[in-house]
Coordinates of all heavy atoms in Angstrom, one line a residue:
M1 N 0.8 -1.2 0.0 CA 0.0 0.0 0.0 C 0.9 1.3 0.0 O 0.6 2.2 -0.8 CB -0.9 0.0 1.2 CG -1.9 -1.1 1.4 SD -3.2 -1.0 0.2 CE -3.1 -2.6 -0.4
F2 N 1.9 1.3 0.9 CA 2.8 2.5 0.9 C 3.5 2.7 -0.4 O 3.7 3.8 -0.9 CB 3.8 2.3 2.1 CG 3.1 2.5 3.4 CD1 3.2 1.4 4.4 CD2 2.5 3.6 3.8 CE1 2.6 1.6 5.6 CE2 1.9 3.8 5.0 CZ 2.0 2.8 6.0
N3 N 3.9 1.5 -1.0 CA 4.6 1.7 -2.3 C 3.6 2.2 -3.4 O 4.1 2.9 -4.3 CB 5.2 0.3 -2.8 CG 6.4 0.0 -2.0 OD1 7.1 0.9 -1.5 ND2 6.7 -1.3 -1.8
M4 N 2.4 1.8 -3.3 CA 1.4 2.4 -4.3 C 1.2 3.9 -4.1 O 1.1 4.6 -5.1 CB 0.1 1.6 -4.2 CG 0.1 0.2 -4.7 SD -1.4 -0.7 -4.4 CE -2.4 -0.2 -5.8
F5 N 1.2 4.3 -2.9 CA 1.2 5.8 -2.6 C 2.4 6.4 -3.2 O 2.3 7.5 -3.9 CB 1.1 6.0 -1.1 CG -0.3 6.2 -0.7 CD1 -0.9 5.2 0.1 CD2 -1.1 7.3 -1.0 CE1 -2.2 5.3 0.5 CE2 -2.4 7.4 -0.5 CZ -3.0 6.4 0.2
K6 N 3.6 5.8 -3.0 CA 4.8 6.4 -3.5 C 4.8 6.6 -5.0 O 5.3 7.5 -5.6 CB 6.0 5.6 -3.1 CG 6.3 5.7 -1.6 CD 7.5 4.8 -1.2 CE 7.7 4.9 0.3 NZ 8.8 3.9 0.8
N7 N 4.1 5.6 -5.7 CA 3.9 5.7 -7.1 C 3.1 6.9 -7.5 O 3.3 7.5 -8.6 CB 3.2 4.4 -7.6 CG 3.1 4.2 -9.1 OD1 3.6 5.0 -9.8 ND2 2.5 3.1 -9.5
I8 N 2.1 7.3 -6.7 CA 1.3 8.4 -7.0 C 2.1 9.7 -7.2 O 1.8 10.5 -8.1 CB 0.2 8.6 -5.9 CG1 -0.8 7.5 -6.0 CG2 -0.6 9.9 -6.1 CD1 -1.8 7.4 -4.8
W9 N 3.0 9.9 -6.3 CA 3.8 11.2 -6.4 C 5.2 11.0 -6.9 O 6.0 11.9 -6.9 CB 3.9 11.9 -5.0 CG 4.3 11.0 -3.8 CD1 5.5 10.5 -3.6 CD2 3.4 10.6 -2.8 NE1 5.5 9.8 -2.4 CE2 4.2 9.9 -1.9 CE3 2.1 10.8 -2.5 CZ2 3.7 9.3 -0.7 CZ3 1.5 10.2 -1.3 CH2 2.4 9.5 -0.5
S10 N 5.5 9.9 -7.6 CA 6.8 9.6 -8.1 C 7.1 10.7 -9.2 O 6.4 11.0 -10.1 CB 6.8 8.3 -8.8 OG 8.1 8.1 -9.4
N11 N 8.3 11.4 -8.9 CA 8.8 12.5 -9.8 C 7.8 13.6 -10.1 O 7.8 14.3 -11.1 CB 9.2 11.9 -11.2 CG 10.2 12.7 -11.9 OD1 11.0 13.3 -11.3 ND2 10.1 12.7 -13.2
K12 N 6.9 13.9 -9.1 CA 6.0 15.0 -9.2 C 6.4 16.1 -8.2 O 7.0 15.9 -7.2 CB 4.6 14.5 -8.7 CG 3.9 13.5 -9.6 CD 3.0 14.1 -10.5 CE 2.3 13.0 -11.3 NZ 1.2 12.3 -10.6
D13 N 6.0 17.3 -8.7 CA 6.1 18.5 -7.8 C 4.9 18.4 -6.8 O 3.8 18.4 -7.3 CB 6.1 19.8 -8.6 CG 7.3 20.0 -9.5 OD1 8.4 19.8 -9.0 OD2 7.1 20.2 -10.7
I14 N 5.1 18.4 -5.5 CA 4.0 18.3 -4.6 C 3.9 19.5 -3.7 O 4.9 20.1 -3.3 CB 4.0 17.0 -3.8 CG1 5.2 16.9 -2.8 CG2 4.0 15.8 -4.7 CD1 5.1 15.8 -1.8
L15 N 2.7 19.8 -3.3 CA 2.4 20.8 -2.3 C 1.7 20.2 -1.2 O 0.6 19.6 -1.4 CB 1.6 22.0 -2.9 CG 1.1 23.0 -1.9 CD1 2.2 23.8 -1.3 CD2 0.1 24.0 -2.6
I16 N 2.2 20.3 0.0 CA 1.6 19.7 1.2 C 0.8 20.8 2.0 O 1.4 21.8 2.3 CB 2.6 19.0 2.1 CG1 3.4 17.9 1.4 CG2 2.0 18.4 3.4 CD1 4.6 17.4 2.1
I17 N -0.5 20.5 2.2 CA -1.3 21.4 3.0 C -1.5 20.7 4.3 O -2.1 19.7 4.4 CB -2.6 21.7 2.4 CG1 -2.5 22.0 0.9 CG2 -3.4 22.8 3.1 CD1 -1.6 23.2 0.6
E18 N -1.0 21.3 5.4 CA -1.0 20.5 6.7 C -1.1 21.4 7.9 O -0.9 22.6 7.8 CB 0.3 19.7 6.8 CG 1.6 20.5 6.8 CD 2.8 19.7 6.8 OE1 2.7 18.4 7.0 OE2 3.9 20.2 6.7
G19 N -1.5 20.8 9.0 CA -1.4 21.5 10.3 C 0.0 21.9 10.7 O 1.0 21.2 10.2
E20 N 0.1 22.8 11.5 CA 1.4 23.4 11.9 C 2.4 22.3 12.3 O 3.6 22.4 12.1 CB 1.3 24.5 12.9 CG 2.5 25.2 13.2 CD 2.3 26.4 14.2 OE1 1.2 26.5 14.7 OE2 3.3 27.0 14.5
Y21 N 1.9 21.3 13.1 CA 2.8 20.3 13.6 C 2.7 18.9 13.0 O 3.1 17.9 13.6 CB 2.6 20.2 15.2 CG 2.8 21.5 15.8 CD1 1.7 22.2 16.4 CD2 4.0 22.2 15.9 CE1 1.9 23.4 17.1 CE2 4.2 23.4 16.5 CZ 3.1 24.0 17.1 OH 3.3 25.3 17.7
T22 N 2.1 18.9 11.8 CA 1.9 17.6 11.2 C 3.2 17.0 10.6 O 3.5 15.9 10.8 CB 0.8 17.7 10.0 OG1 -0.4 18.2 10.6 CG2 0.6 16.4 9.4
R23 N 3.9 17.9 9.9 CA 5.2 17.6 9.3 C 5.2 16.3 8.5 O 6.0 15.4 8.7 CB 6.2 17.5 10.5 CG 6.4 18.9 11.1 CD 6.9 18.9 12.5 NE 7.1 20.2 13.0 CZ 7.5 20.5 14.3 NH1 7.7 19.6 15.1 NH2 7.6 21.8 14.6
F24 N 4.3 16.3 7.6 CA 4.1 15.1 6.7 C 5.3 14.7 5.9 O 5.9 15.6 5.2 CB 2.9 15.4 5.8 CG 2.4 14.2 5.0 CD1 1.4 13.4 5.5 CD2 3.1 13.8 3.8 CE1 0.9 12.3 4.8 CE2 2.7 12.7 3.1 CZ 1.6 11.9 3.6
G25 N 5.8 13.5 6.1 CA 6.9 13.0 5.4 C 8.3 13.5 5.9 O 9.3 13.0 5.4
F26 N 8.3 14.3 6.9 CA 9.5 14.8 7.5 C 10.2 13.7 8.3 O 9.5 13.0 9.1 CB 9.3 16.0 8.3 CG 10.6 16.5 9.1 CD1 11.6 17.1 8.4 CD2 10.7 16.2 10.4 CE1 12.8 17.5 9.0 CE2 11.9 16.6 11.1 CZ 12.9 17.2 10.4
G27 N 11.5 13.4 8.2 CA 12.2 12.4 9.0 C 12.0 11.0 8.6 O 12.5 10.1 9.2
N28 N 11.4 10.8 7.4 CA 11.3 9.4 6.9 C 11.5 9.5 5.3 O 11.6 10.6 4.8 CB 10.1 8.6 7.3 CG 8.8 9.4 6.8 OD1 8.6 9.8 5.7 ND2 7.9 9.5 7.8
D29 N 11.4 8.4 4.6 CA 11.6 8.4 3.2 C 10.3 8.3 2.4 O 10.4 8.0 1.1 CB 12.5 7.2 2.8 CG 11.8 5.8 3.0 OD1 10.8 5.8 3.7 OD2 12.4 4.8 2.6
L30 N 9.2 8.6 3.0 CA 7.9 8.5 2.3 C 7.9 9.3 1.0 O 7.3 8.9 0.0 CB 6.8 8.9 3.2 CG 5.3 8.7 2.8 CD1 5.1 7.2 2.5 CD2 4.4 9.2 3.8
L31 N 8.5 10.5 1.0 CA 8.4 11.4 -0.1 C 9.7 11.5 -0.9 O 9.9 12.4 -1.7 CB 8.0 12.8 0.4 CG 6.7 12.9 1.1 CD1 6.4 14.3 1.7 CD2 5.5 12.5 0.2
D32 N 10.6 10.6 -0.7 CA 11.9 10.7 -1.3 C 11.9 10.7 -2.8 O 12.9 11.1 -3.4 CB 12.9 9.6 -0.7 CG 13.5 9.9 0.6 OD1 13.1 11.0 1.2 OD2 14.4 9.2 1.1
N33 N 10.9 10.1 -3.4 CA 10.9 9.9 -4.9 C 10.2 11.0 -5.6 O 10.0 11.0 -6.8 CB 10.3 8.6 -5.3 CG 8.9 8.5 -4.9 OD1 8.4 9.1 -4.0 ND2 8.1 7.6 -5.6
C34 N 9.7 12.0 -4.8 CA 9.0 13.1 -5.5 C 10.0 14.1 -6.1 O 11.2 14.1 -5.6 CB 7.9 13.8 -4.6 SG 8.6 14.7 -3.3
K35 N 9.6 15.0 -7.0 CA 10.5 15.9 -7.6 C 10.9 17.1 -6.7 O 12.0 17.5 -6.6 CB 9.9 16.4 -9.0 CG 10.8 17.2 -9.9 CD 10.0 17.4 -11.2 CE 10.8 18.3 -12.1 NZ 10.0 18.6 -13.3
S36 N 9.8 17.7 -6.1 CA 10.0 18.8 -5.2 C 8.9 18.9 -4.2 O 7.8 18.3 -4.4 CB 10.1 20.1 -6.0 OG 8.8 20.4 -6.5
I37 N 9.2 19.5 -3.1 CA 8.2 19.6 -2.0 C 8.0 21.1 -1.6 O 9.0 21.8 -1.3 CB 8.6 18.8 -0.7 CG1 8.8 17.3 -1.1 CG2 7.5 19.0 0.4 CD1 9.4 16.5 0.1
K38 N 6.8 21.5 -1.5 CA 6.5 22.8 -0.9 C 5.4 22.5 0.2 O 4.7 21.5 0.1 CB 5.9 23.8 -1.9 CG 6.9 24.3 -3.0 CD 6.2 25.2 -4.0 CE 7.1 25.6 -5.1 NZ 6.4 26.4 -6.1
R39 N 5.3 23.4 1.1 CA 4.4 23.3 2.2 C 3.7 24.6 2.5 O 4.3 25.6 2.6 CB 5.1 22.8 3.5 CG 5.8 21.5 3.4 CD 6.6 21.1 4.7 NE 7.4 19.9 4.5 CZ 7.0 18.7 4.8 NH1 5.8 18.5 5.4 NH2 7.8 17.7 4.6
I40 N 2.4 24.4 2.8 CA 1.6 25.5 3.4 C 1.2 25.0 4.8 O 0.5 24.0 4.9 CB 0.4 25.9 2.6 CG1 0.9 26.5 1.2 CG2 -0.5 26.9 3.3 CD1 -0.3 26.9 0.3
L41 N 1.6 25.8 5.8 CA 1.2 25.4 7.2 C -0.1 26.1 7.6 O -0.2 27.3 7.4 CB 2.4 25.7 8.2 CG 3.7 25.1 7.9 CD1 4.6 25.3 9.1 CD2 3.6 23.6 7.6

């Protein structure tokens, strides 16, 4: 399941909309295969 999710954002520019302390994908490799990451807190 996690690998299928990684397929969704493979080589994509992504924008994460999250709560101030969510920190989605920070400190692990979940988003390592995307092209770029921006965040709106």
Side-chain angles (χ1 to χ4, degrees):
M1 300 287 129
F2 289 120
N3 284 335
M4 289 176 82
F5 267 107
K6 290 175 182 179
N7 189 358
I8 293 170
W9 49 72
S10 178
N11 205 32
K12 295 262 183 76
D13 295 309
I14 66 169
L15 173 64
I16 300 168
I17 315 300
E18 60 182 354
E20 187 177 0
Y21 304 113
T22 302
R23 293 159 178 175
F24 189 95
F26 174 73
N28 59 48
D29 66 349
L30 188 59
L31 302 174
D32 276 9
N33 65 333
C34 69
K35 190 174 176 184
S36 70
I37 301 172
K38 293 177 182 174
R39 298 175 187 267
I40 294 177
L41 303 192

